[in-house]
Amino acid sequence: MKRWRIILMMLAALSLASCSNTKEGDWESMVWKTESADVRTTDGYYEVSADGGTLSFACRNYSSPWIENAFSGENYFFPPREANDYHTITADWFKVAIVGNKLTVTFEANEAAEVRLLGLTVTAGDIFYTFRFKQLQR
């Protein structure tokens, strides 16, 4: 009987020791500031000229975020993780790079007859932030 009491006390101590004061969802949201002077936003999208260009952002409260993925329509793009690269994505019409807390997204000119939409999700571990871009058509 004494042995069971000791085991129960040990289990209780282990469960208490593993508890944390941080509740799920108590993470600090990423705070991004644009470093591009002429960035416009409409309907939650950063607007990109049909001519293309580069938009720059700085994360104010996380020092080394990395790229989770990018998506456009049903197409998903991932950094080359097999090469241990979590900081770049290169596609035929856009390129994404993160160096330290600086994010740059470069768009090629949009020759298509339709608007191009791009979502970009970055992470710093347990916190995620999704940018939404709308590239205008000619």
Side-chain angles (χ1 to χ4, degrees), residues 31-52:
V31 177
W32 290 89
K33 182 174 179 188
T34 182
E35 295 192 331
S36 303
D38 56 350
V39 171
R40 291 185 47 199
T41 57
T42 56
D43 301 327
Y45 286 88
Y46 290 99
E47 279 191 8
V48 180
S49 165
D51 295 330

Side-chain angles (χ1 to χ4, degrees), residues 19-99:
C19 290
S20 167
N21 288 336
T22 304
K23 296 176 187 164
E24 187 173 336
D26 279 355
W27 298 97
E28 183 179 356
S29 297
M30 287 185 176
V31 177
W32 290 89
K33 182 174 179 188
T34 182
E35 295 192 331
S36 303
D38 56 350
V39 171
R40 291 185 47 199
T41 57
T42 56
D43 301 327
Y45 286 88
Y46 290 99
E47 279 191 8
V48 180
S49 165
D51 295 330
T54 299
L55 301 179
S56 300
F57 304 87
C59 186
R60 297 296 186 201
N61 57 339
Y62 290 91
S63 61
S64 301
W66 61 93
I67 302 167
E68 180 65 25
N69 63 53
F71 51 92
S72 180
E74 295 181 9
N75 298 313
Y76 278 80
F77 307 89
F78 297 93
R81 297 176 181 151
E82 62 279 353
N84 263 349
D85 179 359
Y86 296 87
H87 296 95
T88 63
I89 294 179
T90 302
D92 60 343
W93 59 278
F94 69 90
K95 180 179 180 180
V96 180
I98 294 180
V99 177

